[in-house]
Amino acid sequence: MTDLLPAGIDRVLVTGGAGFIGGAVVRRLLRDTTAAVFNLDKVGYASDLTSIGPNPRHQLLKVDLADAAATAEAVRVADPDLVMHLAAESHVDRSIDGPGAFIESNVTGSFNLLQAVRTHWEALASERQERFRFHHISTDEVFGSLGPEGRFSETTPYDPRSPYSASKAASDHLVSAWHHTYGLPVVLTNCSNNYGPWQFPEKLIPVVILKAAAGEPIPLYGDGANVRDWLYVEDHVEALLLAATRGRLGQSYCVGGAGDHGSPSERTNKQVVEAICSLMDQLRPEGAPHGRLITPVTDRPGHDRRYAIDAAKITSELGWRPGHSFEEGLGATVRWYLDNLAWCGRVQAQAGYQGQRIGTRAAASHPSA
Ligand code: NAD
């Protein structure tokens, strides 16, 4: 696609580009634009650059956003026309055991980035200043938990309930404040649960695939009836690039998935786990029925009951619709993980994570954790 970026957007700073969604954004920019892509990432436990590979238009800036001076220097080096801010600690279970890292990265880190970007934007020549945009990538979890009815939209009041979602809500508010107070040209997006290739195997879908492939117990939190809206990562990237370049300044856009024939992509965790097990039965019949491995475990503390997204605004204003149904995306994802078990083993070993249960509050007794 030639018009993925408007004319004059030649230098893009992606934060968190060594992670799951940021990596997909970087790959798409390298594949379908001629822009120079600067990838600011601290290269933490969930990071891996294998999917990006060597490319002369890609430059990694290994920086922790918690370091204000290093962040300012990285923004100076990147000299961006567009910033897409994805870097964040992203796993709810880890935020329960160690909330401090979420405040440092997601709140202080976003603040440091906003300050550095503001300095950069204020010094730009007027033509570049006119084109410049800061896009903040956030989650639907900032809206809290729904009952059986209704969906989140851009006007839903914030009601975060986990350390992760509270830190993301804080960063959303900072971004909005920098727009209203300093005039920084910003766009925000709040997306539902993503899944797809290259996701660090600690979140529901890759964990279930790996446990099923290994013939190990598949943990199902609580009664398994918690509902999430699922979006294939490539569809999220499409929405992000549209919102970043064509979204109205100062606006936020909710982004969510779709099922077969345009049905909603809301699924209970139990439905997701069972769908993976039945795909595994087809792809690895020797281990069937994989459903026998499903093992209920104690629930996540404060587990939000239901998330659902009304994506009407981004559809009507920017023409975005998910290109993959949940069924298509899940099939592609299961096949990808089965073909890339060696990668999973390597990144898990690097991170010192072997699929063990976290986020039960067992490790949260220390007040600074
Ligand atoms: P991820 O954990 O796979 O990647 C995050 C990346 O950010 C990592 O490479 C990490 O090293 C980097 N990072 C974290 N703290 C940093 C810091 N202080 N300085 C520099 N780099 C830092 O996460 P993801 O799933 O790709 O999520 C990306 C963004 O999208 C996050 O902001 C998340 O809140 C948001 N989001 C995620 C989902 C989802 O389902 N994964 C859904 C909606 C929104």
Side-chain angles (χ1 to χ4, degrees):
M1 200 191 287
T2 48
D3 60 351
L4 200 60
L5 293 177
I9 304 294
D10 299 323
R11 301 171 70 88
V12 183
L13 173 61
V14 178
T15 75
F20 166 50
I21 305 172
V25 169
V26 168
R27 292 195 300 280
R28 183 78 202 276
L29 288 171
L30 291 173
R31 193 186 75 192
D32 292 332
T33 78
T34 53
V37 180
F38 297 86
N39 181 352
L40 186 163
D41 201 298
K42 70 176 178 185
V43 190
Y45 78 92
S47 306
D48 186 66
L49 292 155
T50 314
S51 75
I52 297 173
N55 186 309
R57 286 191 291 115
H58 174 247
Q59 186 177 337
L60 175 70
L61 303 169
K62 191 172 176 212
V63 165
D64 189 333
L65 289 173
D67 180 340
T71 301
E73 176 58 13
V75 170
R76 197 191 62 73
V77 168
D79 184 21
D81 302 301
L82 168 67
V83 177
M84 298 179 74
H85 177 34
L86 296 104
E89 292 297 336
S90 69
H91 190 24
V92 177
D93 285 343
R94 284 184 192 263
S95 83
I96 294 167
D97 287 343
F102 287 71
I103 305 303
E104 271 167 34
S105 284
N106 304 358
V107 185
T108 306
S110 294
F111 164 71
N112 289 339
L113 182 66
L114 282 165
Q115 287 291 70
V117 166
R118 184 184 144 215
T119 303
H120 162 74
W121 169 70
E122 284 173 348
L124 284 175
S126 59
E127 223 176 280
R128 280 190 79 200
Q129 198 176 60
E130 278 286 300
R131 279 196 295 265
F132 181 85
R133 278 158 172 249
F134 180 94
H135 175 200
H136 178 61
I137 287 86
S138 191
T139 167
D140 61 353
E141 302 191 29
V142 298
F143 300 123
S145 184
L146 289 165
E149 301 296 324
R151 292 184 288 170
F152 298 136
S153 77
E154 295 76 10
T155 55
T156 304
Y158 276 48
D159 184 21
R161 295 148 46 102
S162 75
Y164 164 66
S165 56
S167 69
K168 289 296 292 186
S171 63
D172 291 12
H173 292 318
L174 290 174
V175 171
S176 252
W178 262 240
H179 174 68
H180 290 289
T181 306
Y182 305 111
L184 192 69
V186 309
V187 178
L188 291 88
T189 45
N190 295 89
C191 186
S192 61
N193 280 31
N194 281 215
Y195 66 98
W198 304 107
Q199 183 172 31
F200 181 77
E202 66 179 349
K203 296 190 181 153
L204 180 68
I205 287 179
V207 164
V208 172
I209 299 168
L210 295 192
K211 296 282 186 195
E216 292 173 5
I218 298 170
L220 183 65
Y221 288 8
D223 62 2
N226 300 68
V227 175
R228 298 291 180 265
D229 174 294
W230 292 94
L231 181 66
Y232 193 57
V233 65
E234 301 297 337
D235 291 335
H236 189 196
V237 171
E238 205 67 43
L240 293 180
L241 288 163
L242 274 174
T245 56
R246 289 161 178 92
R248 282 185 291 142
L249 295 180
Q251 295 285 312
S252 68
Y253 295 87
C254 283
V255 185
D260 266 346
H261 314 297
S263 59
S265 69
E266 285 177 50
R267 298 285 183 281
T268 64
N269 287 350
K270 188 159 181 279
Q271 287 171 327
V272 171
V273 171
E274 287 173 349
I276 294 171
C277 287
S278 77
L279 284 162
M280 288 294 295
D281 289 349
Q282 293 162 32
L283 296 166
R284 293 281 162 98
E286 65 281 8
H290 291 85
R292 78 194 141 76
L293 300 168
I294 300 172
T295 308
V297 297
T298 49
D299 208 354
R300 165 190 284 167
H303 202 176
D304 287 341
R305 196 63 176 168
R306 176 171 168 260
Y307 305 145
I309 285 272
D310 175 357
K313 181 174 170 183
I314 190 166
T315 300
S316 66
E317 282 192 20
L318 305 178
W320 176 84
R321 271 187 191 78
H324 301 81
S325 70
F326 180 68
E327 292 72 16
E328 288 165 347
L330 191 66
T333 304
V334 172
R335 285 189 293 277
W336 186 89
Y337 275 92
L338 292 181
D339 289 344
N340 290 277
L341 292 174
W343 176 82
C344 296
R346 184 169 61 72
V347 294
Q348 283 188 323
Q350 272 167 15
Y353 175 71
Q354 298 303 333
Q356 67 273 26
R357 178 82 194 269
I358 51 180
T360 55
R361 283 211 329 234
S365 50
H366 194 281
S368 67

